[in-house]
Amino acid sequence: MSDSPKKATITLDDKTIDLPILSPTAGPDVVDIRKLYGQANVFTYDPGYTSTASCQSTITFIDGDKGELLHRGYPIDQLAEKSHFLEVCYLLLYGELPTADQLEWFESTITRHTMLHEQMQYFFRGFRRDSHPMATMVGVVGAMSAFYHDSTDITDVRHREIASHRLIAKMPTIAAWAYKYSIGQPFVYPRNDLSFAANFIHMCFSVPAEPYEVDPIIARAMDRIFTLHADHEQNASTSTVRLASSSGANPFACIAAGIACLWGPAHGGANQACLEMLREIGTPDRIPEFIARAKDKNDPFRLMGFGHRVYKNFDPRAKVMKQSADEVLDLLGVHDNPVLQTAKELEKLALEDPYFAEKKLYPNVDFYSGIILDALGFPTSMFTPIFALARTVGWISQWKEQLADPEHKIGRPRQLYIGEPFRDYVDIEKR
Ligand code: SDX
């Protein structure tokens, strides 16, 4: 980013304020309003931050009009095809694709952080068996700050790096154990001889009573899903992590806050909501009924997995996910999956409808992901935990970037106050 001589001029009553315009590497220019309140005694108003850049970043860039997603400049479709999740983790954390030696060091480091402190099992056992795994993940990840004191000093670069590695490495174990606990099966420990994705599959689906071989097709599909969910600019959960971190909170508390935010159906919870919606639709002949409901202003129903704050074109992750869905289901011998057929027909009919075309509503990352996860054997309740597992590297990369930013300070938005003006207390007898 470089300060260009360009400026924006605001005129308020008798005052004229010049605000510098900052030019990015890509995307829209940014009007720097940091001095606005001091110079003009006014706030800007932007609920939902539709026009607000909350920070400067070098990690991920989205071109919503083109439907392009770049991680450190590399397009997501190339990363999904040619790279793998731990290499993408290295790229997001350190800014460049690793050499062979760097990748070997990183994979070995992550592998050796996958175990949880044995006493943490007691946290899982404090939950009801029917707890949503996201509730368990929020609790257990937050509790990590009670165990890993040697990586909570955010002023220590080494602590920050160890915390980053621990969180990336331990999230699959936490997610898998939350799943095992919910189905009453014993926890399966991580294995150092398995890849990141294969290890997660093994911890979820193996049982001590018999050997379990991870299907490489499933492991590859799982790895690709992790890659497609790794990071996504300043989305709601990443912004939550940044805001929590701005107070100096430890990394485990910040990531727990991000997990909590991701859980919502408007955000990461949409993958579960989307598959449940597709199942409720059932057969393609009922699609018009649901499209009508989605268009009805008086009906709160929305097409889950459709629409996006930034993408006004196809979400590139949805495109890769759609191709993956066809491949994985075919390779798994799941032909004519009714849910996938319904999803494809829904996408076709919605995109032909002027309502969706005018509002530029396209399938997003959550539209097809649930179909693949369902085919891989996961219950819908595990869809968002898998999203959280994958997004941890994005959250922690953004967390590290913010801590290293000399301009960073505690986030403290202002407001447009429309409540009561000053008034004196009224004794109860006079009310
Ligand atoms: C993720 O931010 C990220 O990057 C998120 C994410 C990531 O990787 O981190 O990409 C992951 O969260 C993907 C989004 C998953 N959520 C869903 O699929 C839930 C369904 N989608 C919507 O709730 C909605 O599209 C949002 C929340 C995703 C975006 O909402 P916005 O940007 O606030 O848009 P909006 O609600 O103002 O909608 C604009 C218009 C409205 O109509 P009008 O009031 O202007 O007449 O489009 C309509 C909305 O009613 N609309 C939809 C719709 N999404 C928007 N109508 C029907 N179905 C939908 N899905």
Side-chain angles (χ1 to χ4, degrees), residues 143-330:
M144 287 174 76
S145 43
F147 281 83
Y148 299 106
H149 298 111
D150 60 339
S151 59
T152 52
D153 177 357
I154 60 167
T155 63
D156 181 327
V157 172
R158 188 69 191 114
H159 274 227
R160 297 208 292 257
E161 182 162 60
I162 296 172
S164 305
H165 294 163
R166 277 183 167 142
L167 280 158
I168 292 166
K170 296 179 192 309
M171 284 296 272
T173 310
I174 293 168
W177 286 13
Y179 171 56
K180 283 303 202 185
Y181 185 71
S182 73
I183 58 175
Q185 287 189 359
F187 296 139
V188 174
Y189 286 94
R191 277 178 35 187
N192 291 352
D193 63 318
L194 296 176
S195 70
F196 186 89
N199 209 3
F200 177 64
I201 297 290
H202 184 264
M203 289 189 285
C204 287
F205 298 126
S206 74
V207 290
E210 59 186 21
Y212 178 89
E213 279 299 312
V214 178
D215 182 332
I217 296 166
I218 292 183
R220 177 67 189 138
M222 190 80 262
D223 187 273
R224 180 174 291 179
I225 286 180
F226 291 157
T227 297
L228 292 172
H229 287 82
D231 190 48
H232 213 238
E233 282 191 6
Q234 307 310 318
N235 56 83
S237 53
T238 298
S239 299
T240 300
V241 171
R242 279 182 172 260
L243 196 56
S245 165
S246 73
S247 75
N250 75 71
F252 307 107
C254 295
I255 299 303
I259 297 170
C261 177
L262 185 76
W263 195 359
H267 189 14
N271 51 20
Q272 173 175 346
C274 180
L275 194 79
E276 288 164 353
M277 173 192 74
L278 291 170
R279 284 180 174 154
E280 187 188 353
I281 293 172
T283 51
D285 62 305
R286 290 195 65 204
I287 289 173
E289 169 196 335
F290 282 80
I291 287 182
R293 284 187 58 198
K295 293 161 61 178
D296 180 355
K297 283 281 153 259
N298 300 316
D299 188 333
F301 172 78
R302 288 193 168 180
L303 284 187
M304 289 290 110
F306 247 80
H308 199 276
R309 172 62 58 75
V310 178
Y311 290 120
K312 301 311 170 191
N313 198 325
F314 259 92
D315 180 333
R317 302 167 297 176
K319 280 186 181 174
V320 177
M321 207 74 85
K322 182 177 178 181
Q323 290 160 11
S324 238
D326 282 326
E327 288 164 20
V328 169
L329 294 182
D330 195 44

Side-chain angles (χ1 to χ4, degrees), residues 274 277-278 281 284 287-288 290-291 303-304 306 340-352 356 367-368:
C274 180
M277 173 192 74
L278 291 170
I281 293 172
I287 289 173
F290 282 80
I291 287 182
L303 284 187
M304 289 290 110
F306 247 80
L340 178 58
Q341 299 320 316
T342 301
K344 287 182 173 179
E345 185 65 12
L346 172 58
E347 175 192 333
K348 177 175 170 295
L349 293 178
L351 296 183
E352 288 168 356
F356 293 89
F367 191 66
Y368 286 103

Side-chain angles (χ1 to χ4, degrees), residues 74-95:
Y74 297 101
I76 189 62
D77 50 326
Q78 291 185 26
L79 292 171
E81 185 193 338
K82 299 174 180 176
S83 185
H84 62 277
F85 183 64
L86 282 188
E87 183 175 79
V88 172
C89 287
Y90 186 98
L91 174 66
L92 291 170
L93 276 171
Y94 299 109

